[in-house]
Amino acid sequence: MIDLRNHGRSPHSEQHDYDAMVADVLELVDDLQIPTPAIMGHSMGGKVAMNYALKYPTRITKLIVVDIAPKAYPPHHDEIIDALQSVDLSTVTSRGEVDAQLAKGIKEDEVRLFLMKNLYRKDDNTFGWRMNLDAIEKNYEKVAAEITSEVPFKKHTLFIKGGRSRYIKPEDVYGSIEHLFTLVQVETIPDAGHWVHAEAPNEVYDLVTTFLNAE
């Protein structure tokens, strides 16, 4: 599992766009000596995966995109970024206190738990975020940008949509998705929202393994 730049334990950088993140993935694939991996990504990671497939179609076998379309999105993570930025990590002494502060702006328990996987203790026993929140916020428009390509990706592609999510609409499937990915199937998990893998991990696992095992 890949932590993209400015996420997890990966290096922080002021540059945070799809060209840079695709280059990071390709470098990792080369370092691991995996000539043609299957690649899956959710949300921003899904756009990285789409960009990788369109740019390097011979360096991938199958593509899986979770609850994101190739289109441009208006600002829609402001409440999550604001909630993360509002936590005063210099004063909290437990994960429970962080969760309580996040709950003021993020009501869904599973989303907060997912975001708090970024929380860690520093050497001085204070808390910190592993993600480079400032760089992500600064480059948000680049992350929300539309994906375009003159040549479509012609290998098997799976899009997984949360049934309660509005990120992929029917017109996206019949429009940009089928235009850019010619061998695509779209599956919906009815009771999941945007954070599909956190809300319905078993269903996502079943869809992914079935897709990867198919000829």
Side-chain angles (χ1 to χ4, degrees), residues 59-180:
R59 299 296 309 275
I60 180 174
T61 54
K62 291 184 176 183
L63 170 66
I64 304 168
V65 179
V66 183
D67 210 61
I68 198 76
K71 66 182 180 182
Y73 286 85
H76 56 284
H77 276 135
D78 290 349
E79 69 281 359
I80 289 180
I81 293 175
D82 289 345
L84 290 167
Q85 292 281 33
S86 70
V87 177
D88 186 354
L89 294 178
S90 67
T91 62
V92 295
T93 59
S94 70
R95 296 180 65 88
E97 291 179 19
V98 176
D99 184 57
Q101 291 194 31
L102 285 175
K104 296 175 183 178
I106 304 172
K107 302 306 180 184
E108 300 86 358
D109 293 345
E110 64 273 10
V111 174
R112 294 198 310 276
L113 290 171
F114 182 70
L115 292 169
M116 286 176 59
K117 292 170 71 174
N118 290 278
L119 193 66
Y120 76 105
R121 282 195 183 272
K122 301 179 182 179
D123 292 338
D124 62 2
N125 211 37
T126 62
F127 283 102
W129 295 118
R130 290 203 183 279
M131 81 284 256
N132 185 350
L133 194 54
D134 291 338
I136 293 169
E137 184 175 21
K138 180 181 177 182
N139 292 280
Y140 189 87
E141 288 187 7
K142 297 177 182 177
V143 171
E146 179 185 10
I147 295 173
T148 61
S149 176
E150 295 182 0
V151 180
F153 181 65
K154 300 177 181 179
K155 295 182 179 179
H156 290 288
T157 301
L158 171 65
F159 275 70
I160 300 175
K161 177 188 183 308
R164 295 186 288 102
S165 171
R166 296 175 59 83
Y167 276 70
I168 299 178
K169 298 181 179 181
E171 58 265 32
D172 299 324
V173 176
Y174 305 123
S176 59
I177 290 176
E178 291 188 346
H179 175 72
L180 288 174

Side-chain angles (χ1 to χ4, degrees), residues 20-78:
M21 288 185 278
V22 167
D24 291 341
V25 174
L26 182 63
E27 181 179 353
L28 178 61
V29 167
D30 286 340
D31 288 346
L32 295 175
Q33 298 181 359
I34 308 174
T36 52
I39 295 182
M40 176 173 68
H42 165 258
S43 199
M44 183 192 75
K47 281 196 166 183
V48 174
M50 284 187 268
N51 274 290
Y52 179 101
L54 290 165
K55 194 169 185 177
Y56 300 108
T58 64
R59 299 296 309 275
I60 180 174
T61 54
K62 291 184 176 183
L63 170 66
I64 304 168
V65 179
V66 183
D67 210 61
I68 198 76
K71 66 182 180 182
Y73 286 85
H76 56 284
H77 276 135
D78 290 349

